[in-house]
Amino acid sequence: MKTIVCEQPLHLAVHDRPMPLRGPGEVLVRIRRVGVCGTDYHIFGGNQPYLNYPRVMGHELAGTVEEADADAALVPGDVVTILPYLSCGKCVACQRGKPNCCTRLEVLGVHRDGGMAEYFSVPRAAVIPVNDLSLDQAAMVEFLAIGAHAVRRAGVMADARTLVVGAGPIGVATALFARHEGARVTLADTDADRLGQARRLTDIADTVLVDDAIADVLASRTDGEFFDVVFDATGNARAIETGFAYVAHGGTYVLVSIVKAQIAFSDPEFHKREMTLMGSRNATAEDFRHVIASIRAGHIPTSAMHTQSFPLVEAAAYFPRLIAGQGSVLKAIATW
């Protein structure tokens, strides 16, 4: 079978590998779609901190069942998406119902080879049937679930003044699910093209360009009180630090993105606000089910958000183009 391997930063190659052998309790999936996300761009660019090369990328996956155990409630041809976070089931986080932050978590396409392959064998628990979704929609479930999980973590309430900083796929997903909860959402970004695209494609009307006047603009929109909930989806340490100032007294700050650097903030301001600071990592099966139900109900404009497609065997040519044109890329999906 064909497999796309990132052999080293900036170098993708098509390799022929043997078909995977399906183990006990696993499902053999024919991969049909692979969404490309920021993690994949970071791996390609050589700035993903938790990775060894060579690596087969791909964790936003959709395919069809090729083979499964008789008692798996799956039959060949079923359309499925894959939960790419493999947890141990035994650690303190898993025992508390938080497998997304398992102490021994392995993410497909990061800690172990992922789904940029024609066939992939994964544990049955990771395979979620979605026969009433298209393959493209099934490939979008994972990144949408990141945003849905962050919103659930924050306990966003109806009418809450909510700021999402970062208008990439994760930020847009977060904004959409916050809006679904009835929040008053403002979306901010440093890139006017990316911000404009998000506004056009998802109908998030309240957007603001991050520039030198951003603090004054945000203050004027909230009568100087700022936001009940702030989400950072930038992946930028400086932006994360700045975001503390946009949280209202009694508000919550959720770090959806992750940075390798240390971050610092003013402790007096933090305590004065009695601010809640929380991290949001990955997603759970519950979040996947919420996203799938939301797509089925027509709450998520998946067709509009899917902005590019390309053949996976041509990934080496497409990746540099996608990175160079990120102002026009919301979600790119590779096809087999």
Side-chain angles (χ1 to χ4, degrees):
M1 67 171 185
K2 290 184 174 61
T3 304
I4 309 302
V5 180
C6 190
E7 298 178 328
Q8 59 188 15
L10 305 179
H11 194 272
L12 297 176
V14 181
H15 287 194
D16 284 319
R17 290 188 176 182
M19 284 277 292
L21 297 176
R22 186 177 70 87
E26 292 187 340
V27 178
L28 181 63
V29 177
R30 180 184 177 190
I31 299 296
R32 306 294 296 277
R33 302 286 189 276
V34 181
V36 183
C37 88
T39 298
D40 300 315
Y41 296 135
H42 292 319
I43 293 170
F44 177 74
N47 53 6
Q48 219 297 333
Y50 308 115
L51 183 123
N52 295 314
Y53 296 90
R55 178 63 72 223
V56 178
M57 298 183 294
H59 61 273
E60 299 181 7
L61 306 174
T64 52
V65 173
E66 193 76 8
E67 183 182 294
D69 293 336
D71 61 352
L74 293 166
V75 298
D78 278 350
V79 176
V80 297
T81 188
I82 294 174
L83 187 73
Y85 326 115
L86 305 184
S87 56
C88 72
K90 300 177 181 178
C91 72
V92 60
C94 289
Q95 292 300 308
R96 291 176 178 173
K98 295 176 68 68
N100 57 302
C101 52
C102 167
T103 61
R104 293 184 285 275
L105 189 72
E106 290 188 300
V107 180
L108 299 177
V110 180
H111 305 104
R112 64 162 69 179
D113 282 348
M116 286 192 177
E118 289 186 285
Y119 294 89
F120 200 47
S121 189
V122 290
R124 167 64 186 91
V127 179
I128 301 175
V130 286
N131 280 320
D132 52 346
L133 267 57
S134 70
L135 286 165
D136 290 335
Q137 288 175 322
M140 298 174 77
V141 170
E142 192 273 343
F143 90 86
L144 290 166
I146 301 290
H149 180 76
V151 170
R152 182 164 67 91
R153 278 277 287 150
V156 173
M157 305 289 287
D159 211 38
R161 293 171 302 189
T162 301
L163 174 67
V164 180
V165 186
I170 300 300
V172 169
T174 303
L176 286 171
F177 281 97
R179 185 175 68 179
H180 183 57
E181 295 299 325
R184 290 178 283 159
V185 177
T186 298
L187 182 63
D189 199 279
T190 58
D191 188 312
D193 291 337
R194 185 161 53 210
L195 199 61
Q197 176 178 250
R199 184 171 56 246
R200 290 192 306 273
L201 298 181
T202 64
D203 198 30
I204 297 171
D206 191 6
T207 60
V208 59
L209 184 66
V210 177
D211 56 19
D212 292 341
I214 182 65
D216 292 336
V217 171
L218 295 178
S220 68
R221 293 186 179 202
T222 57
D223 296 324
E225 293 183 335
F226 291 101
F227 295 85
D228 304 307
V229 187
V230 177
F231 295 93
D232 176 84
T234 65
N236 180 281
R238 176 59 181 155
I240 291 173
E241 291 178 341
T242 302
F244 281 86
Y246 306 148
V247 182
H249 282 236
T252 299
Y253 192 20
V254 187
L255 306 185
V256 189
S257 60
I258 183 172
V259 294
K260 195 173 182 179
Q262 292 184 337
I263 59 172
F265 56 90
S266 166
D267 185 65
E269 290 296 326
F270 178 78
H271 273 83
K272 185 169 68 176
R273 287 166 167 78
E274 198 177 57
M275 188 188 305
T276 299
L277 174 64
M278 61 174 60
S280 181
R281 187 183 186 193
N282 301 328
T284 67
E286 178 183 350
D287 301 308
F288 269 53
R289 290 191 291 270
H290 178 42
V291 168
I292 291 164
S294 298
I295 294 174
R296 286 170 177 157
H299 298 316
I300 308 298
T302 51
S303 295
M305 296 172 72
H306 175 194
T307 51
Q308 281 85 11
S309 290
F310 65 94
L312 195 48
V313 292
E314 298 179 22
Y318 273 88
F319 258 66
R321 298 180 205 170
L322 293 172
I323 292 171
Q326 285 192 42
S328 62
V329 178
L330 186 50
K331 178 51 58 179
I333 299 178
T335 64
W336 278 119

